[in-house]
């Protein structure tokens, strides 16, 4: 395990109570373990957010680079109406 560094943090009373209750319930061995788990979750969430953002940027780039002609306003309206009608039909079948 890498060398650990001790830090000091400030938490609201509600947050601290939740951490302590989790330790007392046996979910974690210590408050440090709770916070390490929280940081791991935060790191994973940041990575997932970055991956989603990269995917969105790639889709935008593909769209901008698409050589097909743009749709007219009328074509978009007709397409949206078709999608809406299909969604209504699907909802009616499920009801």
């Amino acid at each position: 395990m890498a060398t650990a560094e001790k830090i000091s943090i400030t938490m609201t009373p509600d947050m601290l109570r939740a951490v302590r209750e989790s330790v007392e319930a046996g979910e974690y061995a210590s408050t440090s373990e709770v916070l390490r788990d929280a940081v791991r979750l935060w790191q994973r969430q940041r990575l997932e957010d970055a991956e989603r953002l990269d995917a969105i940027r790639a889709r935008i780039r593909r769209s901008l680079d698409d050589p097909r002609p743009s749709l007219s306003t009328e074509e978009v309206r007709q397409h949206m109406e078709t999608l809406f009608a299909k969604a209504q039909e699907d909802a009616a079948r499920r009801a």
Side-chain angles (χ1 to χ4, degrees):
M1 181 174 175
T3 305
E5 182 177 341
K6 190 173 186 174
I7 64 170
S8 173
I9 63 167
T10 302
M11 300 177 83
T12 65
D14 289 341
M15 293 172 83
L16 184 55
R17 184 173 31 262
V19 168
R20 288 181 172 155
E21 286 173 357
S22 184
V23 172
E24 290 168 7
E27 297 169 20
Y28 293 91
S30 68
T31 56
S32 291
E33 282 190 18
V34 174
L35 297 176
R36 282 191 294 269
D37 194 34
V39 169
R40 282 189 292 270
L41 178 61
W42 170 72
Q43 289 173 317
R44 185 171 54 241
Q45 184 65 52
R46 285 177 46 115
L47 178 61
E48 290 171 1
D49 289 348
E51 289 170 351
R52 273 193 298 276
L53 186 56
D54 287 344
I56 291 169
R57 286 182 174 139
R59 288 178 71 182
I60 291 170
R61 176 55 43 208
R62 284 192 305 271
S63 179
L64 292 172
D65 294 342
D66 190 336
R68 293 177 292 180
S70 298
L71 298 175
S72 69
T73 303
E74 180 60 25
E75 290 170 317
V76 171
R77 186 188 63 72
Q78 288 175 352
H79 183 68
M80 295 301 290
E81 285 178 0
T82 301
L83 290 175
F84 182 70
K86 183 180 182 321
Q88 284 183 318
E89 290 171 8
D90 291 347
R93 274 195 295 271
R94 285 192 299 265

